Amino acid sequence: MTKTTSPEPHQFLATPAQPTTSGAGCADVRPAPTWRRLFNEWSLTSLGLVVFCAMQILGVWELHVAGQGEAHSGLARALTLMLLAGTAVMVALVDRWRRRHFEQCAVLLQTTRMNAQLREEKGAVYQLASFDHLTGLPNRMLFTELANSHLSRTRRSHAPFVMMFLDLDRFKLINDTLGHRIGDLLLHGVGQRLIGTVREADIVARLGDDEFVVLLTELESIDDAARVANKLIEEIGSPMQIEGNELEMRPSIGIAVHPRDGLDLDALMRNADSAMYEAKRAGRGCFRFYDPSLNSRSILQADLSSRFRRAIMGDEFVLHYQPRISLNGYRITSLEALIRWQHPERGMVFPGEFIDYAEQEGLVVELGNWVLRETCRQIAAWLAEGITVVPVAINVSPKQLRDQTFVNYIREVVSDYGISASLLEIEITERCVVEDFERPRQALEALSGLGLKIALDDYGTGFSSLSFLKRLPINVIKIDRSFISDIRNQSNDAAIVASTIALGHNLGLTVIAEGVETREQLIYLRAAGCDEVQGYYFQKPVAAAEIVEALKAGEVVR
């Protein structure tokens, strides 16, 4: 350690509250009063030596005066010189000890200060490493330590141990539209609401982005977890005022319970995460307990996602076609192109197992563009064979419709394959225009101008807003299969179907019923005035080679 210069060491005094073991004056840095600077223990020691020496010299000379001899005179001078020399040596030694003592005190003081600074820095580093800087909540590292500690106690006490995964619905939309500052303030507010909702014994942490985790300890029963989840959804879902913006944010919550859903922390977190995604699929803003059947689905999705992009590039995807049948003459009026994944190991994989992944990973636009190209290529191939082609409908995702290059891309692909744009039909759902209405409306207007028909798919399952039908260039509405499956026995479904058909006709729209599988359903729909039907009763989706005969005949034979 390097030697440091400091004020006179006697200026630093020890306080009673902080005694030192290295001598006086090492623990406190308060400047000493002037009288203490002049009369401290070191100066008094030196003064004592001088006084002692003076007394000895005085005694020697008293003896010399008493003896009055030459020999006594020489002895007195010699003793005086020895006393002076000894006193000087002792004073010098005292001064040396004094300097050494204060040097040690200075080093000790510097070491004490450095230790205090290191403790402060260590605390700051621990704070940064263990807590989320945005919300002040424990981060993943600290949460893991705390959760493992609670899990160990739970194994001994056998008390319920519940893990909750929370993901904020539509957070990315708010973050992108209002800016990251608003998003950060929203996350901080959510963290505060979480802390205010659960008990002090529970643990709340932020894992990253818009993901939070809540660990419920010492519950009396598992039913309490459902009550807490409902309370969290209610508290977080209440409007939040942030810089003049009123924001509503509802979480999707997945719940895993120890030991039923996992014996260690990793298994509980993994299963709670799976349950959270199941809650999102169920409609968002809700909670789901873990179901073991989710494991097989998660494993499948992990396997499919690992080779999804290669599948697009490697032509593993195929299109199957299902006809729409007019109830006036039972002729084929159009086809719907439905994507399938011809997996080399798992066989035919249906879109319900990979579309969600494509949307989450931002690959749905690329996949949709492949569907468009393949549809146009197949139409061109049929035309080249002299087959009379009916319009083919393709499903379009919200991201595709909001893509500014989408309309031009359709125009280019249609031109490249030399087909008429009227041979294409676009199917959208209400989800395409709920979050952003204007850009999709402009895109649909442009597509309609090119000659494409626009169909509103799954009508009745969303908001079913009449303003969409009025303000968008819709030509076709498709009644969702959920209203058709039990139409003969469910009076509510029958009333909704009849009302939708009447509404569509009043607006000059073509009405198509999906999921027709029985003759009874067909008879009812025809009597209700439905224009067209689509379903397994006439034809299941088949490959392009198998639909050719039906196209040539213009009808599906039953």
Side-chain angles (χ1 to χ4, degrees), residues 166-184:
L166 292 84
D167 186 89
L168 303 179
D169 300 332
R170 296 176 59 248
F171 173 75
K172 186 177 185 302
L173 175 65
I174 292 176
N175 209 31
D176 292 343
T177 55
L178 299 180
H180 292 283
R181 171 175 169 76
I182 299 297
D184 291 346

Side-chain angles (χ1 to χ4, degrees), residues 35 42 51 56 74 127 156 180 217 224-225 314 329 365 422 483 514:
W35 66 272
W42 296 104
V51 171
Q56 295 299 316
Q127 180 76 18
R156 295 192 295 268
H180 292 283
T217 61
D224 293 337
V365 172
S422 61
F483 299 105
E514 296 183 291

